[in-house]
Amino acid sequence: MEDARSFAIAAHAGQLYGGKPYETHLAAVVQVLDDFGFGEEYCQAGWLHDVVEDTPIELAEIRSLFGDAVAAMVDAVSGIGPTREVRNARIYGGLKACPAAAAVKLADRIANVEAAPAGSEHRARYRREADEFEAVVRPCVPPAMWSRLERALA
């Protein structure tokens, strides 16, 4: 897992998340996955989940370095496209094709919501997207993990 961590930190070098190094967000995603007992491939995907979406690195490199299972999860959660609607549609299609990736996407959403200030536009956007997100993600994740998102959004 250390290889994925190092790779992701290098790939996101110079990027910020809420004014902090991007590593802060990635570590929060991996912590959520670890909190619910997800194993190494999930945690690798957690470190790498934004690499294809936010850096020039291509999925083929992720696949060659980390294997097919990790690459499939990263691909499934990569929101690529010109608008949030298009990016979300790509992710929802990816999660339907690779249900295992739903845990990574939920960990990402939990980390984002927990980091967003109460009353922020970020939280409001996640609430607006909640029904569609729930329809795709909730059937594929542990109930306790889903409950954590609900608590964070409350």
Side-chain angles (χ1 to χ4, degrees), residues 106-131:
L106 180 54
D108 178 41
R109 181 64 54 100
I110 290 168
N112 283 329
V113 172
E114 290 178 349
S120 69
E121 172 53 29
H122 290 297
R123 283 196 187 204
R125 178 179 8 154
Y126 295 134
R127 282 188 192 100
R128 287 191 303 272
E129 297 172 351
D131 290 343

Side-chain angles (χ1 to χ4, degrees), residues 6-21:
S6 298
F7 185 89
I9 290 169
H12 289 285
Q15 293 179 357
L16 298 176
Y17 180 89
K20 298 177 184 173

Side-chain angles (χ1 to χ4, degrees), residues 29-59:
V29 171
V30 172
Q31 184 60 58
V32 171
L33 290 164
D34 189 58
D35 288 348
F36 291 95
F38 286 92
E40 178 144 349
E41 286 182 338
Y42 285 88
C43 290
Q44 286 177 326
W47 282 112
L48 301 166
H49 78 278
D50 279 337
V51 168
V52 173
E53 183 176 317
D54 293 340
T55 78
I57 294 168
E58 296 184 6
L59 187 64

Side-chain angles (χ1 to χ4, degrees), residues 92-148:
Y92 297 151
L95 295 176
K96 289 175 185 172
C98 180
V104 176
K105 187 60 191 169
L106 180 54
D108 178 41
R109 181 64 54 100
I110 290 168
N112 283 329
V113 172
E114 290 178 349
S120 69
E121 172 53 29
H122 290 297
R123 283 196 187 204
R125 178 179 8 154
Y126 295 134
R127 282 188 192 100
R128 287 191 303 272
E129 297 172 351
D131 290 343
E132 190 174 14
F133 188 79
E134 180 176 4
V136 175
V137 174
R138 189 174 188 171
C140 304
V141 297
M145 191 176 187
W146 185 262
S147 293
R148 182 165 168 179

Side-chain angles (χ1 to χ4, degrees), residues 72 75-77 88-99 101:
D75 186 35
V77 302
N88 282 347
R90 184 190 189 282
I91 291 168
Y92 297 151
L95 295 176
K96 289 175 185 172
C98 180

